[in-house]
Amino acid sequence: MDELEFDDVLDDWFIESLKTYRDLHVYQLEHPTQVIEWTSEKTVCVAGCSLKKNEILELRLPLRLFAEENKGLCAERDFKVVHGGFTDGPVRCLRHIPGTRCLVTNDGLSAELQLWGLGGDDSNVIRRTGSIEGSRSVLECGSRIAVRDSSRPQVLHGAQSSGVQLTELSSGQMLYKLDTDAADPLSSLQFVSDSVFLASCCNGNIYVADTRTSAAPQLYPPPACSGESVFWWTDASSGPDLSGCKVIRLSSSGQAMVSDLRSLEGAVSQAHLDIQACHHGLDVVRVSWAPVLDNCIALSGFSGAVHIYDTSVWTTELQEAQLLFEHRGHVVSLQSEDAVPVFITSHVWHPDRPRTLLSAASDGSVHVWDWVDQSGTRAEVNKLKGSVHPTLTCGAV
Amino acid sequence: MPEIKVTPLGAGQDVGRSCILVSIGGKNLMLDCGMHMGYNDDRRFPDFSYITQNGRLTDFLDCVIISHFHLDHCGALPYMSEMVGYDGPIYMTHPTKAICPILLEDFRKITVDKKGETNFFTSQMIKDCMKKVIPLNLHQTVQVDDELEIKAYYAGHVLGAAMVQIKVGSESVVYTGDYNMTPDRHLGAAWIDKCRPDILISESTYATTIRDSKRCRERDFLKKVHESIERGGKVLIPVFAPGRAQELCILLETFWERMNLKAPIYFSTGLTEKANHYYKLFITWTNQKIRKTFVQRNMFEFKHIKAFDRSYADNPGPMVVFATPGMLHAGQSLQIFKKWAGNEKNMVIMPGYCVQGTIGHKILNGQRKLEMEGRTTLDVKLQVEYMSFSAHADAKGIMQLIRMAEPRNMLLVHGEAVKMEFLKGKIEQEFSVDCYMPANGETTTVTTNPSVPVDISLNLLKREMALGGPLPDPKKPRTMHGTLIMKENSLKLVSSEQALKELGLNEHQLRFTCRVQLQDPHSDSDTLHRIYKHLKSVLKGYTIQHLPDGTVMVESIVIKVSSSADDTNTKVLLLSWSYQDEDLGSFLSSLLKKGLPSGLC
């Protein structure tokens, strides 16, 4: 690769990006990550996913991104590695416990969760502090993890619906267990309030339960047209209360449905999304509601791009959805000149900045981008958003 | 055990300046001699009292090496050599030697003339200092004296920047200065061979960063320029060296062509004057590939970029101007700035660090009202953009460099220990080398294990290799017998005969004799034969002979049997060996002391 050819720098995408992005930062990690998790307003954690030893890194985002008034005077564009640690296996799921400096990870191969201390000012090493056993599943698949703000750190985890439990970190005590015998493998676990959570299964079943009661959960099957070999992903939007909570379900055949949390049996709207067949493993698909932009979702994992859709224009009729924005940066980046196609391994929205996202790809690249909405229909920034729990804005896993 | 000592000068956690002392093989070196740009008093100079409390440094240092022309690496050099006092050699690359005095003089002018400071070096001191400089070529070994040699490697980063290998005997240290491992457009990336130094010394300032891509920096640059031009504004880009300026010019030119833009781009005369001079330096410094691009696109042959005339600054409409000097502290760039500062449609893009006291420094700190000569005030209404294009190695880069050089130990300077812990662990884990992180003013001592190369005479080598396998463990390294002769600077291993001959000495033989008593009813000759059979079965691979003169020989060891005078069943074995066969001889005597196995015929 000739670094000196200026002409190929200025490709079409690059020129277009001058207008389509306010900010764009492109980084190259030594190893690809499948996780991006906020640990504070300005820091995220990423971690390697190879089978042997990996690193967990806590990265501080570039100061320039946050400098509002004097942005021009801030030249700092780099990630800063503020903390780092070593793992013995892959990290397929990573969650930060809000209000603490603790992380919970899972290697995607077993039900055990690893606990980590992020370290304060006295050390920049992330250290393993313990582990939590989960219920073994028949299949060798990893656990999903959900966290929420609580005075006593707890973690909701499980690989399949019959194994979902809420564990207290300090004692290892199981505080709650999802009351079902069905062993449906999970695609995600997510809290929608302090005690209500969704356990979304790969086969499209959604369990809605409350950790305060031992009553059986409500079970919502997938839409009738769903075939046998179809895989489902789910995400619930965040909000001050459950009444405004929306749930999006996406199938591997491209069907997307938006429902109200309180009436999951029906759909408010739907659309067909143009997604390619999933060759990269179902684990990397992410679908997420934007925390600030009303009705917008981001989707990644099927290709080398991150797609953003405005669901407010969807109707009850199944029609082809129009893209609001496509981030193709990982594909056109100069790094990926070899034959192996790049695919997105993870993405997250910034909790407060309406159009800022982070995305990671299989070639180790990590992008931070703030896109410009150039469509006629402007997605509304929700001005009523108060304090947003960063945890509730995470993607489907 | 031999040791190498490394001490970064400076106090506490200061990262603003580089000045590192190294003691290796009895030689003392100073690596870089930087000024701390954040201080206005004597704290900006390195504290040389570590070397000696008072007096000149000449007797205490064998040489000084400067890695590149940035002031935080060379800014205190004239102070050290002329005000503290040092008359020994100062090494740096040719481009560094050419550019240093210019930057130092600029810096001196700003600090003394503008800020009115007194304890500072003079123009004459800069000249006298540079007279002591011996320029280096890349990859060329330079003998500082009989024992100390140095070699410069390409570091990227800025024109003339070098990484330096320092060697005394078989001990060596590599100092990186500032470098980058991802290629820059006009400078390429650092490179070093697998020289396996005892210590690799690297800055850790950027060790915990992950760099944003060059493309994004360029995108931001073009976006800003384009936005200004589109609204009819003028863009001023103060630059120092043609290298970076030219790179930005080529970028703009390509962009202009692509977007079919019409606004004029100018290159100030100040730059074009210096251009030829730097050009020569630049062309010989960079590699073939880069040379080709920049020779092809000679700055005088740009399609969209023309030479600037000061009257153009008043022309209406949008334009872009590259002008010197880089910190807006004097000359044409300052003149243009004064004209354009009052219009908010305009923009100034600062592509690098600005020294305290300059206009550049002030506006980068957000100052919007400037006091100019004649007590006039300048309102800064134009947009100020700070864009850093200089290339540094980041966390990944350090790992790449270690992989390239394969040092035995790693040493990181200018980092807080707390912030370096993870990187230290990473380096130790991946490369299994110790990673040291001395604080400023702290000395790190690294024990080395240098190998001593010795010539061996071919005869001796052949002879030693021909002898049989060792006992009892065939895998144990075999002891070789020879004589080490040290003559002048060479070390030679020869056979003892040859050594005796060379030294004119007589050879004396040392033989050991040992008597072992055995109970054996057979005749002397039968006993001898039984011994022969026994040894043959145990000592496989050895030359064992039963000689007609009534002895058994194992290699050169002689065994005789005789009966005791008192009792014929008591046999006395006489073993005799020379000093060289001590091991085998001892083994045989222990073996025979145990007696003969009954199964022998």
Side-chain angles (χ1 to χ4, degrees):
Chain A
M1 175 181 55
D2 201 330
E3 281 290 337
L4 304 161
E5 295 310 317
F6 289 83
D7 295 318
D8 64 0
V9 168
L10 305 185
D11 58 34
D12 289 340
W13 181 83
F14 183 92
I15 298 295
E16 206 188 306
S17 75
L18 298 178
K19 289 272 185 308
T20 53
Y21 295 86
R22 262 183 24 163
D23 286 307
L24 178 62
H25 297 266
V26 166
Y27 304 93
Q28 188 62 34
L29 299 179
E30 281 182 84
H31 308 285
T33 180
Q34 278 183 4
V35 300
I36 310 175
E37 170 83 349
W38 291 100
T39 52
S40 81
E41 190 209 335
K42 293 184 177 148
T43 55
V44 290
C45 266
V46 295
C49 47
S50 79
L51 285 175
K52 298 257 183 78
K53 270 185 166 300
N54 289 280
E55 288 175 5
I56 304 181
L57 302 174
E58 187 185 28
L59 307 173
R60 194 200 61 209
L61 267 60
L63 294 179
R64 193 179 169 96
L65 193 68
F66 300 102
E68 288 306 332
E69 290 148 13
N70 284 328
K71 201 172 183 118
L73 301 184
C74 183
E76 266 243 35
R77 306 182 60 97
D78 304 330
F79 270 151
K80 189 108 180 112
V81 179
V82 284
H83 291 90
F86 301 99
T87 74
D88 289 323
V91 176
R92 296 275 154 78
C93 187
L94 188 152
R95 287 276 176 270
H96 168 243
I97 314 253
T100 71
R101 290 292 287 157
C102 289
L103 296 178
V104 188
T105 65
N106 175 261
D107 62 8
L109 305 168
S110 70
E112 189 197 72
L113 304 183
Q114 294 85 34
L115 300 176
W116 306 84
L118 271 170
D121 294 329
D122 55 337
S123 161
N124 86 331
V125 175
I126 300 175
R127 282 178 229 279
R128 178 89 178 262
T129 53
S131 59
I132 295 178
E133 280 302 317
S135 327
R136 286 255 205 84
S137 70
V138 174
L139 319 140
E140 285 293 312
C141 64
S143 288
R144 310 299 171 187
I145 308 172
V147 292
R148 50 129 197 246
D149 219 336
S150 163
S151 51
R152 290 166 316 150
Q154 300 156 349
V155 121
L156 185 71
H157 59 111
Q160 54 200 27
S161 45
S162 55
V164 174
Q165 63 185 77
L166 182 71
T167 306
E168 189 180 67
L169 286 190
S170 49
S171 61
Q173 194 193 355
M174 181 168 71
L175 303 172
Y176 165 90
K177 193 172 178 335
L178 185 64
D179 182 16
T180 176
D181 290 328
D184 300 329
L186 294 176
S187 65
S188 64
L189 271 177
Q190 187 181 5
F191 275 107
V192 289
S193 79
D194 278 349
S195 56
V196 177
F197 69 91
L198 263 62
S200 310
C201 307
C202 303
N203 59 13
N205 283 344
I206 298 182
Y207 293 85
V208 181
D210 190 320
T211 56
R212 291 170 303 187
T213 90
S214 51
Q218 292 166 289
L219 167 59
Y220 300 94
C225 49
S226 166
E228 279 278 322
S229 53
V230 163
F231 207 93
W232 288 88
W233 297 274
T234 308
D235 189 44
S237 66
S238 60
D241 55 65
L242 292 180
S243 59
C245 180
K246 289 189 289 286
V247 175
I248 181 156
R249 297 151 98 162
L250 172 69
S251 78
S252 50
S253 56
Q255 186 188 1
M257 273 176 47
V258 177
S259 314
D260 256 339
L261 176 65
R262 293 159 305 168
S263 50
L264 274 173
E265 59 283 342
V268 165
S269 62
Q270 59 177 334
H272 186 267
L273 307 186
D274 181 25
I275 57 182
Q276 300 152 324
C278 210
H279 297 298
H280 317 297
L282 307 161
D283 246 13
V284 295
V285 171
R286 306 268 185 274
V287 61
S288 64
W289 287 102
V292 183
L293 277 187
D294 260 2
N295 300 306
C296 284
I297 57 157
L299 171 64
S300 72
F302 292 98
S303 68
V306 180
H307 290 162
I308 300 184
Y309 296 92
D310 181 0
T311 64
S312 67
V313 302
W314 294 1
T315 64
T316 48
E317 274 177 42
L318 190 63
Q319 284 177 337
E320 203 62 37
Q322 297 301 314
L323 267 180
L324 183 59
F325 187 81
E326 183 185 31
H327 175 64
R328 291 176 51 242
H330 293 274
V331 178
V332 300
S333 160
L334 281 175
Q335 304 291 338
S336 53
E337 277 212 348
D338 28 53
V340 179
V342 154
F343 59 93
I344 306 292
T345 51
S346 187
H347 78 257
V348 286
W349 291 84
H350 190 285
D352 304 311
R353 298 166 59 99
R355 291 178 193 78
T356 302
L357 287 98
L358 274 78
S359 53
S362 52
D363 61 352
S365 57
V366 172
H367 294 187
V368 183
W369 37 287
D370 188 353
W371 54 282
V372 173
D373 188 355
Q374 293 191 307
S375 72
T377 63
R378 302 197 103 269
E380 279 299 309
V381 172
N382 190 328
K383 296 176 183 56
L384 297 175
K385 290 284 185 201
S387 68
V388 175
H389 286 277
T391 57
L392 299 178
T393 68
C394 291
V397 181
Chain B
M1 288 298 283
E3 296 170 338
I4 302 178
K5 292 190 158 76
V6 180
T7 312
L9 287 188
Q13 302 301 331
D14 280 343
V15 296
R17 157 244 296 118
S18 297
C19 185
I20 300 164
L21 298 179
V22 173
S23 283
I24 172 175
K27 305 289 171 187
N28 296 322
L29 297 96
M30 179 184 286
L31 305 176
D32 279 339
C33 190
M35 179 85 78
H36 195 304
M37 310 307 284
Y39 290 121
N40 290 325
D41 51 27
D42 286 355
R43 284 175 299 175
R44 60 179 149 207
F45 301 122
D47 182 8
F48 299 116
S49 64
Y50 181 85
I51 306 172
T52 175
Q53 287 293 322
N54 40 42
R56 301 179 74 78
L57 304 176
T58 315
D59 292 335
F60 299 91
L61 291 174
D62 291 280
C63 75
V64 174
I65 304 175
I66 302 291
S67 63
H68 64 288
F69 62 65
H70 277 157
L71 291 172
D72 55 341
H73 289 257
C74 74
L77 189 64
Y79 169 81
M80 192 271 297
S81 72
E82 307 311 306
M83 292 169 83
V84 178
Y86 169 75
D87 300 310
I90 301 174
Y91 291 94
M92 59 181 78
T93 61
H94 285 275
T96 311
K97 183 178 178 192
I99 299 171
C100 252
I102 299 168
L103 282 183
L104 287 169
E105 178 53 30
D106 257 0
F107 179 45
R108 188 207 67 76
K109 261 203 286 238
I110 295 167
T111 311
V112 175
D113 299 350
K114 281 196 185 301
K115 290 168 75 188
E117 296 192 22
T118 46
N119 187 26
F120 215 76
F121 46 83
T122 63
S123 293
Q124 187 57 43
M125 286 180 187
I126 296 173
K127 295 195 178 94
D128 292 337
C129 171
M130 297 311 288
K131 287 191 192 126
K132 298 169 184 167
V133 170
I134 301 173
L136 295 169
N137 288 318
L138 282 180
H139 306 158
Q140 178 192 59
T141 304
V142 169
Q143 294 288 142
V144 176
D145 61 34
D146 283 345
E147 290 151 314
L148 171 62
E149 54 183 55
I150 62 178
K151 183 155 78 162
Y153 288 91
Y154 192 81
H157 187 54
V158 291
L159 182 56
M163 307 191 289
V164 186
Q165 181 195 36
I166 297 141
K167 218 169 178 190
V168 179
S170 59
E171 284 179 300
S172 67
V173 163
V174 169
Y175 170 57
T176 64
D178 283 340
Y179 63 104
N180 56 282
M181 297 303 289
T182 45
D184 197 336
R185 288 204 193 281
H186 74 288
L187 286 170
W191 180 86
I192 193 166
D193 50 12
K194 230 187 259 298
C195 52
R196 300 211 172 100
D198 289 290
I199 311 177
L200 177 62
I201 303 175
S202 174
E203 294 278 333
S204 54
T205 324
Y206 293 92
T208 51
T209 60
I210 299 178
R211 302 274 292 171
D212 188 9
S213 72
K214 191 169 39 225
R215 238 162 70 112
C216 284
R217 287 170 209 272
E218 288 170 344
R219 179 194 161 270
D220 227 24
F221 171 70
L222 291 175
K223 189 164 150 59
K224 291 282 180 293
V225 171
H226 192 218
E227 279 167 3
S228 295
I229 296 297
E230 281 209 311
R231 61 170 181 249
K234 297 170 164 59
V235 182
L236 171 65
I237 307 174
V239 284
F240 155 67
R244 180 74 59 202
Q246 192 168 8
E247 188 180 303
L248 294 177
C249 276
I250 297 179
L251 189 61
L252 272 189
E253 162 106 343
T254 319
F255 184 63
W256 248 237
E257 191 70 20
R258 183 76 166 63
M259 305 287 278
N260 203 20
L261 297 173
K262 302 295 176 206
I265 308 175
Y266 299 112
F267 210 86
S268 91
T269 43
L271 261 170
T272 52
E273 271 160 18
K274 283 187 191 139
N276 277 326
H277 175 53
Y278 291 126
Y279 219 69
K280 261 190 254 161
L281 284 174
F282 181 63
I283 289 302
T284 50
W285 178 253
T286 62
N287 63 41
Q288 195 83 16
K289 242 171 42 162
I290 297 175
R291 209 175 296 171
K292 206 171 72 135
T293 306
F294 283 84
V295 167
Q296 274 172 10
R297 294 169 152 191
N298 186 298
M299 62 182 77
F300 304 115
E301 289 167 18
F302 284 131
K303 199 165 134 189
H304 299 276
I305 307 180
K306 307 279 174 250
F308 186 68
D309 181 276
R310 63 206 323 221
S311 64
Y312 299 171
D314 297 317
N315 288 357
M319 71 173 82
V320 181
V321 178
F322 288 88
T324 55
M327 298 183 276
L328 289 178
H329 52 284
Q332 186 152 77
S333 61
L334 181 59
Q335 272 180 25
I336 300 170
F337 176 78
K338 283 194 231 175
K339 279 186 197 269
W340 294 357
N343 188 336
E344 62 252 357
K345 280 200 247 174
N346 295 340
M347 178 185 283
V348 63
I349 298 180
M350 308 296 297
Y353 177 79
C354 293
V355 156
Q356 255 193 52
T358 57
I359 302 262
H361 185 93
K362 292 184 180 143
I363 60 172
L364 285 180
N365 276 314
Q367 220 173 307
R368 303 300 279 179
K369 272 189 177 0
L370 299 171
E371 233 193 66
M372 312 297 286
E373 298 94 51
R375 289 163 143 268
T376 52
T377 317
L378 182 66
D379 271 327
V380 179
K381 294 208 181 121
L382 57 44
Q383 218 176 312
V384 179
E385 290 286 331
Y386 187 14
M387 295 194 177
S388 162
F389 286 99
S390 74
H392 284 273
D394 59 3
K396 190 168 67 153
I398 289 188
M399 303 301 277
Q400 281 172 316
L401 185 68
I402 299 175
R403 225 165 269 134
M404 246 190 202
E406 285 190 15
R408 297 198 170 85
N409 297 280
M410 191 64 205
L411 195 137
L412 298 170
V413 293
H414 298 149
E416 287 178 54
V418 162
K419 298 203 173 120
M420 294 289 119
E421 220 186 309
F422 171 64
L423 179 64
K424 176 176 143 86
K426 196 168 132 119
I427 291 172
E428 285 175 346
Q429 241 186 57
E430 182 158 340
F431 301 109
S432 302
V433 297
D434 283 329
C435 182
Y436 300 91
M437 303 175 316
N440 291 337
E442 189 188 310
T443 302
T444 297
T445 305
V446 176
T447 310
T448 59
N449 196 7
S451 52
V452 182
V454 169
D455 292 327
I456 180 169
S457 94
L458 196 56
N459 284 335
L460 180 63
L461 187 62
K462 279 189 186 159
R463 191 177 79 181
E464 293 292 316
M465 279 170 66
L467 297 173
L471 274 177
D473 182 355
K475 289 208 175 86
K476 223 166 140 186
R478 190 188 156 79
T479 310
M480 161 193 285
H481 294 274
T483 309
L484 182 70
I485 300 185
M486 290 163 66
K487 205 153 107 175
E488 279 129 32
N489 269 337
S490 73
L491 296 162
K492 222 172 23 158
L493 199 59
V494 300
S495 65
S496 13
E497 301 85 56
Q498 192 177 336
L500 288 164
K501 207 164 95 176
E502 271 189 53
L503 297 166
L505 296 170
N506 286 326
E507 182 174 2
H508 292 72
Q509 287 256 349
L510 202 62
R511 279 196 86 83
F512 295 91
T513 310
C514 165
R515 282 186 169 74
V516 176
Q517 282 205 341
L518 261 190
Q519 292 301 113
D520 195 293
H522 300 93
S523 69
D524 286 358
S525 54
D526 280 348
T527 306
L528 189 67
H529 190 72
R530 290 183 73 212
I531 290 169
Y532 168 68
K533 280 235 135 78
H534 176 47
L535 294 179
K536 266 256 252 230
S537 75
V538 175
L539 300 177
K540 300 202 168 49
Y542 277 81
T543 312
I544 305 174
Q545 300 165 285
H546 187 169
L547 298 174
D549 64 358
T551 63
V552 164
M553 274 195 76
V554 181
E555 303 287 334
S556 66
I557 298 168
V558 179
I559 305 175
K560 283 197 188 131
V561 175
S562 56
S563 300
S564 157
D566 308 322
D567 169 24
T568 49
N569 285 344
T570 305
K571 299 284 185 274
V572 177
L573 309 181
L574 195 74
L575 283 82
S576 172
W577 61 84
S578 67
Y579 174 64
Q580 281 89 325
D581 291 321
E582 164 70 20
D583 281 343
L584 185 56
S586 302
F587 177 77
L588 281 179
S589 73
S590 307
L591 179 69
L592 292 172
K593 276 188 185 130
K594 292 187 194 145
L596 296 173
S598 42
L600 291 170
C601 69

